[in-house]
Amino acid sequence: MSEQPTQGVSRRSFLKLAGLVGLAAQAGGLVAAGNNAGKSSESYTGWESFNPGTQFFNRKPFEFEGPAHSPVSAVRRPSHLTDYVFGRVGTFQKFYEKHPEWKLGDPLEDLELPPYLIEFYSKFPERLEWDFKTFSETIPNNMKDRKIYENYYKLADAYSEGFTAHGRSLPRPQAPPEISDFLKPLSEDKQIGDPVPFKSPDLAAEFIKEMAHRYGATLVRITKTNPNWLYSEGWRGCPPDYDFSKMPEHWTYAIVMAVPMEWDVIIGSPQFSTSYDAYDRVSTAATRLVGCIKYLGYPARAQTPMTGYDMIVPPHAVEAGLGEQGRTGFCITAELGGNARMAIVNTNLPLTIDKPIDIGIADFCKSCKLCAESCPSGAISMADSPDGMVIRGYEHWYINNGACYNYWRETMGPMGCRMCVATCPYSRKDNWLHDMARKLDPRDPTGVVRGSLLWTQKNFFDYPKAEEYHRPPVGHFASYRPEPPYMVADKYLDIPITNPNEGG
Amino acid sequence: MFFDGNIFWFLMGIIFILVAAGFKVFAEDKGWVLTWWKWLLAFIWYVIFTMSFYTYGTLHGERETADIRLFLLGMVISLILGVGFWRLMAVNPKNETTKEG
Ligand code: SF4
Ligand code: SF4
């Protein structure tokens, strides 16, 4: 039976109206769904409840036969005493305090520095300038600034301190690797038992990765330990006359783990963020894994931010395929970008190793430069490519760690900066928007996706100018993004608070 | 959470069908003959339009100030494409007549 024209018109009008209302409902619904995706706890990559689903990027299509690093000239192992910034500035501070009248331009010998440091500073004079500035100018200024502004950052410091306090309680090796790595955890004399054989290295690797995730590692991959990346001296538990020239035989494998810093906190860099949340968590995960491996009768040693390193981590992370080396010198991972604090567990448990990956990060870095533009100390290279940047025999991006450390000592809140982590477009949460970028860019051979992403980043997202992060009057202790609401000291604390952003 | 649950996306699917049905009636009333490529253009426009809202919400949730800027960009693109596509919608293939009523 045909409908009456009036009924037909009314049904059609109804459908059109319903379509229009549906359009509005979809728009509103998507705003709400997007808002949820942006702030849902499930989007906090690495801090979600679905560990081990935190390693969600499928690396298989991007793997290649390593190595990812090949020396271009004679290799020199890194030194704890010079290359490692804390080792170097610690020594400089000690001697500078003995000779506070020393100025740049005076003979280095007047400082009575050890010969190795005189040699290092002669090769890298810009590091000497920065280290001098740190102790002659930056730290004294910072002490004054802290008297005025410290309370504004009180809750950020408190947040960080919780992780620091725990991390410091983790056990450190007290004897050389040949002894301590074969002892039961926390024991001074009880040897680990006989090794329990696995059915295959594949299954052993599978089990170890499952454990690592369950112990708190967001990401985990395995590679071989490279003797070129061991520190040339100063391994934990070793006396000065220990033979550091040979890698202990049982350090065959490097199980590399990564954990991000908290996402709302990291975007409050440099002043409000802390490295210690991730330091503590990744160190805890590695310590747990050592316990597990030793229980199964294999020697193990953890290299962690809270208990110390006998080797450098970034190149191992790259070889293991966690990510690629970025302009910042560290490993930019597929899931966490640069927001990845890392630890290694060395063992001789036979494991199948992973391959390095190429997901286009190295190329992205060539045109991006966002970290370099935001870096308050100018420590990151603005060059178009790392060609010619050779350090210790390998050609890759590296930063001026003297300049970087100098700015660390200028910041307020928990020490450090982390701006290069916060600004990196790869350091983004786990939701549909960023996951789409993660999936599309490496698969786009034309570079259109990369170009669009970069154009959007540079033209639509706010980046305070690098000088704004400095102390007044040059800057105003800016942060990349406002601190998370639970770190607003004014809201919680009944103490006098001076906000540097309001002119002090 | 409702907004990332299956019921929400099921409802969104139903509403999408309703929008498509409404568009079909609207097009018929305008005298447009909906060929496959016109459906495709309409779909592309719809994706860009709705994704602008989704992106806005997501960046807003992340407390990014780029939220409103990218939303406006999406709206401008939707407007420009909308005008262009609207004209194409009116292009009817030869020998096709529109159904009225
Ligand atoms: S931590 Fe800060 S100062 Fe150091 S390289 Fe990164 S952005 Fe620059
Ligand atoms: S901010 Fe850009 S240049 Fe810097 S590490 Fe990240 S992708 Fe590379």
Side-chain angles (χ1 to χ4, degrees):
Chain A
M1 200 176 97
S2 64
E3 285 183 274
Q4 296 297 316
T6 46
Q7 284 171 322
V9 167
S10 131
R11 185 173 54 85
R12 297 183 73 81
S13 298
F14 172 76
L15 266 178
K16 284 195 278 187
L17 186 66
L20 206 59
V21 172
L23 184 68
Q26 286 229 301
L30 285 171
V31 169
N35 189 43
N36 177 65
K39 66 181 188 191
S40 158
S41 56
E42 296 295 305
S43 69
Y44 286 53
T45 319
W47 293 63
E48 311 97 324
S49 53
F50 54 89
N51 228 356
T54 49
Q55 193 158 331
F56 53 78
F57 188 86
N58 178 16
R59 288 168 168 76
K60 265 273 169 285
F62 306 104
E63 286 181 346
F64 64 95
E65 291 301 329
H69 301 78
S70 302
V72 294
S73 60
V75 172
R76 174 175 71 79
R77 279 162 56 186
S79 163
H80 251 139
L81 304 172
T82 54
D83 302 296
Y84 179 60
V85 69
F86 294 112
R88 182 178 79 239
V89 297
T91 311
F92 181 86
Q93 179 182 19
K94 205 168 78 188
F95 287 90
Y96 178 63
E97 278 170 3
K98 273 203 251 166
H99 301 278
E101 73 294 341
W102 190 88
K103 296 184 303 302
L104 274 182
D106 291 351
L108 270 174
E109 288 71 18
D110 291 359
L111 266 177
E112 296 182 277
L113 287 172
Y116 65 79
L117 207 47
I118 294 183
E119 191 190 331
F120 178 84
Y121 281 141
S122 309
K123 257 194 226 154
F124 302 96
E126 81 287 353
R127 305 280 165 115
L128 174 67
E129 287 169 27
W130 281 106
D131 293 351
F132 176 71
K133 186 178 178 201
T134 299
F135 292 99
S136 62
E137 187 184 320
T138 309
I139 292 177
N141 282 340
N142 188 255
M143 285 158 81
K144 286 185 217 152
D145 292 337
R146 284 188 180 265
K147 280 198 185 124
I148 305 171
Y149 303 117
E150 190 167 40
N151 285 350
Y152 188 70
Y153 303 95
K154 201 70 158 179
L155 295 181
D157 283 323
Y159 170 77
S160 182
E161 198 53 37
F163 292 105
T164 314
H166 175 259
R168 283 203 188 113
S169 70
L170 294 171
R172 285 153 204 268
Q174 299 297 330
E178 293 72 18
I179 300 170
S180 76
D181 300 5
F182 291 81
L183 293 175
K184 288 184 174 176
L186 296 174
S187 166
E188 283 176 14
D189 52 3
K190 290 199 186 76
Q191 296 280 316
I192 54 175
D194 292 333
V196 179
F198 276 82
K199 288 191 170 167
S200 71
D202 269 359
L203 287 169
E206 182 185 308
F207 170 78
I208 287 297
K209 289 176 185 173
E210 288 290 345
M211 289 302 103
H213 281 305
R214 277 156 184 81
Y215 290 147
T218 302
L219 311 177
V220 55
R221 304 262 289 184
I222 301 168
T223 186
K224 288 263 180 83
T225 311
N226 187 329
N228 288 346
W229 300 327
L230 307 184
Y231 280 113
S232 53
E233 71 300 286
W235 302 349
R236 290 157 303 156
C238 297
D241 61 352
Y242 180 85
D243 180 7
F244 295 102
S245 67
K246 283 192 249 101
M247 181 174 92
E249 277 177 20
H250 63 278
W251 282 4
T252 325
Y253 298 96
I255 305 160
V256 192
M257 290 178 268
V259 168
M261 292 165 278
E262 209 276 348
W263 293 90
D264 290 334
V265 175
I266 191 64
I267 59 171
S269 292
Q271 327 298 343
F272 282 95
S273 63
T274 177
S275 305
Y276 282 91
D277 49 9
Y279 279 177
D280 180 31
R281 287 178 187 232
V282 78
S283 304
T284 302
T287 304
R288 288 169 172 163
L289 191 61
V290 165
C292 169
I293 293 172
K294 284 188 169 180
Y295 177 81
L296 291 168
Y298 298 89
R301 174 172 282 221
Q303 315 283 343
T304 84
M306 294 308 296
T307 64
Y309 294 109
D310 307 320
M311 60 192 64
I312 51 174
V313 180
H316 285 109
V318 171
E319 289 299 337
L322 283 181
E324 293 176 51
Q325 207 202 26
R327 182 178 287 271
T328 47
F330 48 71
C331 175
I332 308 287
T333 65
E335 291 86 351
L336 307 170
N339 185 9
R341 295 303 188 177
M342 300 196 174
I344 289 178
V345 171
N346 303 109
T347 183
N348 64 4
L349 162 63
L351 298 164
T352 302
I353 61 165
D354 295 300
K355 292 178 183 164
I357 55 169
D358 178 359
I359 55 172
I361 293 174
D363 278 341
F364 195 96
C365 281
K366 286 182 184 165
S367 38
C368 171
K369 303 185 183 176
L370 279 169
C371 53
E373 286 161 10
S374 292
C375 174
S377 70
I380 304 172
S381 167
M382 286 287 287
D384 290 335
S385 95
D387 294 351
M389 291 182 75
V390 178
I391 185 160
R392 297 188 293 272
Y394 293 94
E395 187 177 61
H396 58 69
W397 299 108
Y398 64 89
I399 65 160
N400 177 342
N401 66 11
C404 173
Y405 180 73
N406 175 269
Y407 181 68
W408 288 19
R409 300 310 303 257
E410 183 179 336
T411 59
M412 302 304 293
M415 192 182 68
C417 167
R418 298 162 288 269
M419 269 305 300
C420 43
V421 174
T423 48
C424 179
Y426 283 99
S427 307
R428 293 294 173 256
K429 290 163 83 176
D430 171 19
N431 57 39
W432 72 274
L433 186 61
H434 306 303
D435 288 348
M436 195 166 68
R438 282 182 183 106
K439 286 196 178 112
L440 287 180
D441 178 46
R443 290 174 171 84
D444 167 28
T446 65
V448 171
V449 173
R450 177 175 314 159
S452 318
L453 287 172
L454 258 177
W455 179 79
T456 312
Q457 278 289 333
K458 295 204 171 188
N459 292 290
F460 290 86
F461 286 75
D462 282 326
Y463 289 91
K465 290 195 172 58
E467 54 270 23
E468 290 182 58
Y469 300 112
H470 285 284
R471 65 191 294 268
V474 174
H476 52 97
F477 286 131
S479 288
Y480 175 60
R481 295 287 179 266
E483 69 275 31
Y486 49 82
M487 281 190 181
V488 179
D490 225 4
K491 177 179 166 189
Y492 293 96
L493 302 180
D494 191 12
I495 52 175
I497 288 168
T498 307
N499 179 352
N501 298 299
E502 288 168 0
Chain B
M1 177 77 180
F2 174 72
F3 288 109
D4 61 2
N6 292 339
I7 295 178
F8 172 76
W9 289 111
F10 177 72
L11 282 176
M12 283 307 216
I14 303 268
I15 293 172
F16 178 70
I17 292 169
L18 202 64
V19 172
F23 170 69
K24 184 170 180 291
V25 173
F26 176 77
E28 285 168 0
D29 286 358
K30 295 290 289 179
W32 299 344
V33 177
L34 286 178
T35 54
W36 68 268
W37 59 266
K38 288 190 186 176
W39 274 110
L40 182 68
L41 288 186
F43 181 71
I44 290 171
W45 181 87
Y46 194 71
V47 168
I48 292 171
F49 181 74
T50 50
M51 281 299 112
S52 307
F53 287 87
Y54 200 19
T55 305
Y56 166 77
T58 305
L59 292 175
H60 185 73
E62 291 182 5
R63 301 192 298 134
E64 275 291 355
T65 44
D67 54 0
I68 193 73
R69 294 176 205 149
L70 280 174
F71 175 71
L72 290 175
L73 176 72
M75 288 300 105
V76 169
I77 294 173
S78 301
L79 190 72
I80 294 168
L81 286 181
V83 170
F85 287 1
W86 184 279
R87 291 185 175 191
L88 288 172
M89 290 290 158
V91 176
N92 283 341
K94 280 180 190 157
N95 303 327
E96 291 261 9
T97 50
T98 55
K99 289 179 218 152
E100 293 283 347

